[in-house]
Amino acid sequence: MEQLIRQNRSYRRFYQDHFLAVDNLKYFVNLARLSPSARNAQPLKYYISNDEPVNAKIFECLSWAGYLKDWDGPEEGERPSAYIVVTGDHRVGDNFYCDHGIAAQSILLGAVEKGFGGCIIASVDRQKLREHLQLEQQLEILLVVALGKPKESVMLDNIGKDGDIKYWRDDKRIHHVPKRQLDDIVINFS
Amino acid sequence: MEQLIRQNRSYRRFYQDHFLAVDNLKYFVNLARLSPSARNAQPLKYYISNDEPVNAKIFECLSWAGYLKDWDGPEEGERPSAYIVVTGDHRVGDNFYCDHGIAAQSILLGAVEKGFGGCIIASVDRQKLREHLQLEQQLEILLVVALGKPKESVMLDNIGKDGDIKYWRDDKRIHHVPKRQLDDIVINFS
């Protein structure tokens, strides 16, 4: 698990031509399906796409890497080859708790195990995406998981003394992510 | 991953005497630490316990298995041998998004891989738990992950035609969990 979780970085540049089959996407959704759900309500529904024109429409609705001010997101050729849009069905209930977090982590770990990678994106033009995908009103867009064959290196760094958690890219385009240390997040043991 | 995720059921009865070391708990928290966090803010802090008197105080604050009306939770001898209390630190931010879902899934998958198991509990007397653990006011209790060596069998069933998602126990005390099928949760493919 530790190896898989370490490999599971938020990748934002991909080999866009690397195909991701619908069966792969269904396999990932199945992992989410088998994951815990608050009160076992299972309110989540998933829209999947590995289709270039649909992907382009989804891409249009996403904001990428807020801390990288001089980067608008992956350029053509480095975009995700697939997406899983995670929605919450209000016919089931109005509180989705943290089900979408559980589901997204299962999806990403499955993707990494199969040699892919992805990124959870919550900064989404939900109105536009709903129209593009013709989603029913009862389905609330919770987040989008972008998927593909990663084309970038992501390094975990220790957080600096200034406590800055903003990720950044070095001149070799390696993406650096400052992480708090274990002693800083365990309250009662050091 | 699929095998691990299938094994990762919500266990609510344990071999209470089966010891879970602090190093194990730290290993699980480390998996959460290395997992995605919205905007990389990493607002979560963790209180861990494998200590019987503290465990008893935590147990007192939990409500178990809402759908099992004739069961008040595990009896003495079948209670969790450890807990990870997941809190959100308001000094970091006031929105924890679904970070605690991501973290809890990483913790549970790590636990299952090591031969343990657990249950995410969100029905918590937060006021009382805060007092018991003497948590700072800035730390909001988000959920409690109960952990131990599972002592029960959990079966995944297909959801019936009535759509009932309530889990139940049969007369052999096997815990049954009705799950929606893949075709019912993938919006645009069947």
Side-chain angles (χ1 to χ4, degrees):
Chain A
M1 274 306 295
E2 183 174 347
Q3 198 192 340
L4 212 58
I5 283 181
R6 281 187 182 273
Q7 279 173 21
N8 177 31
R9 296 299 97 220
S10 291
Y11 297 107
R12 296 179 179 89
R13 296 192 294 126
F14 304 91
Y15 294 98
Q16 189 169 341
D17 290 341
H18 195 102
F19 186 65
L20 228 154
V22 165
D23 278 351
N24 279 128
L25 298 174
K26 284 188 175 180
Y27 173 79
F28 304 149
V29 172
N30 198 44
L31 297 180
R33 179 179 81 84
L34 295 167
S35 297
S37 168
R39 303 175 185 199
N40 197 40
Q42 308 164 67
L44 304 184
K45 304 262 161 88
Y46 304 85
Y47 186 102
I48 61 183
S49 170
N50 69 344
D51 176 62
E52 192 53 49
V54 181
N55 286 353
K57 284 187 169 181
I58 297 173
F59 179 81
E60 224 184 277
C61 304
L62 307 177
S63 296
W64 291 81
Y67 297 138
L68 305 181
K69 295 301 179 200
D70 55 350
W71 191 69
D72 274 346
E75 53 195 45
E76 187 62 39
E78 296 193 338
R79 292 181 182 164
S81 41
Y83 294 96
I84 297 176
V85 180
V86 182
T87 76
D89 190 339
H90 281 279
R91 287 165 294 206
V92 177
D94 287 325
N95 189 342
F96 307 115
Y97 301 90
C98 57
D99 276 22
H100 43 307
I102 298 171
Q105 180 69 339
S106 293
I107 288 169
L108 285 172
L109 291 174
V112 169
E113 188 198 33
K114 298 284 185 203
F116 300 102
C119 186
I120 301 172
I121 302 173
S123 186
V124 179
D125 184 335
R126 288 169 165 78
Q127 179 63 28
K128 190 155 77 171
L129 186 55
R130 168 184 305 289
E131 287 164 17
H132 280 335
L133 304 182
Q134 299 181 285
L135 292 179
E136 296 171 273
Q137 281 299 328
Q138 297 98 328
L139 297 177
E140 178 182 339
I141 296 169
L142 299 172
L143 43 84
V144 175
V145 184
L147 293 162
K149 185 84 177 172
K151 199 187 173 179
E152 66 178 351
S153 295
V154 178
M155 275 193 61
L156 295 177
D157 298 336
N158 290 347
I159 215 165
K161 287 203 171 133
D162 57 2
D164 193 354
I165 47 72
K166 291 200 274 297
Y167 45 76
W168 56 284
R169 271 194 201 151
D170 67 21
D171 49 15
K172 288 174 183 136
R173 299 189 77 189
I174 293 174
H175 188 85
H176 291 263
V177 181
K179 281 286 189 189
R180 300 188 200 282
Q181 295 307 288
L182 192 55
D183 282 348
D184 298 330
I185 61 171
V186 177
I187 299 165
N188 60 325
F189 273 92
S190 60
Chain B
M1 273 306 296
E2 183 174 346
Q3 199 192 339
L4 212 57
I5 283 180
R6 281 187 182 273
Q7 279 173 21
N8 177 32
R9 297 298 97 220
S10 292
Y11 297 107
R12 296 179 180 89
R13 294 192 293 127
F14 304 91
Y15 294 97
Q16 189 169 338
D17 290 340
H18 195 102
F19 186 66
L20 228 154
V22 165
D23 278 352
N24 278 130
L25 298 175
K26 284 189 175 180
Y27 174 79
F28 304 149
V29 172
N30 199 44
L31 297 180
R33 180 180 80 84
L34 296 166
S35 297
S37 168
R39 303 175 185 198
N40 197 40
Q42 309 164 68
L44 304 184
K45 303 261 161 89
Y46 304 85
Y47 185 102
I48 61 183
S49 169
N50 70 343
D51 176 62
E52 192 53 48
V54 181
N55 285 354
K57 284 187 169 181
I58 297 173
F59 180 82
E60 223 184 280
C61 304
L62 307 177
S63 297
W64 291 80
Y67 297 138
L68 304 181
K69 296 300 178 199
D70 54 352
W71 191 69
D72 274 346
E75 54 195 46
E76 188 62 39
E78 296 193 339
R79 292 182 182 162
S81 41
Y83 294 95
I84 297 176
V85 180
V86 183
T87 76
D89 190 339
H90 281 279
R91 287 165 293 205
V92 177
D94 287 325
N95 189 342
F96 307 115
Y97 300 91
C98 57
D99 276 22
H100 43 307
I102 297 170
Q105 180 69 339
S106 292
I107 288 169
L108 285 172
L109 291 174
V112 169
E113 188 198 34
K114 298 285 185 201
F116 300 103
C119 185
I120 301 172
I121 302 173
S123 185
V124 179
D125 184 335
R126 288 170 166 78
Q127 179 63 27
K128 190 155 76 172
L129 186 55
R130 166 185 305 290
E131 287 164 18
H132 280 336
L133 305 182
Q134 298 180 286
L135 292 179
E136 296 172 274
Q137 281 299 327
Q138 297 98 328
L139 297 177
E140 178 182 340
I141 297 169
L142 300 171
L143 43 85
V144 174
V145 184
L147 293 162
K149 186 84 176 172
K151 199 187 172 179
E152 66 178 351
S153 295
V154 177
M155 274 193 62
L156 295 178
D157 298 336
N158 289 348
I159 214 165
K161 286 201 172 134
D162 57 3
D164 192 353
I165 48 72
K166 291 200 274 299
Y167 45 77
W168 56 284
R169 271 195 200 151
D170 67 21
D171 49 13
K172 288 176 184 134
R173 298 190 76 188
I174 293 174
H175 189 86
H176 291 263
V177 181
K179 281 287 187 187
R180 300 188 199 283
Q181 295 307 288
L182 192 55
D183 282 349
D184 297 330
I185 62 170
V186 176
I187 299 165
N188 60 326
F189 273 91
S190 60

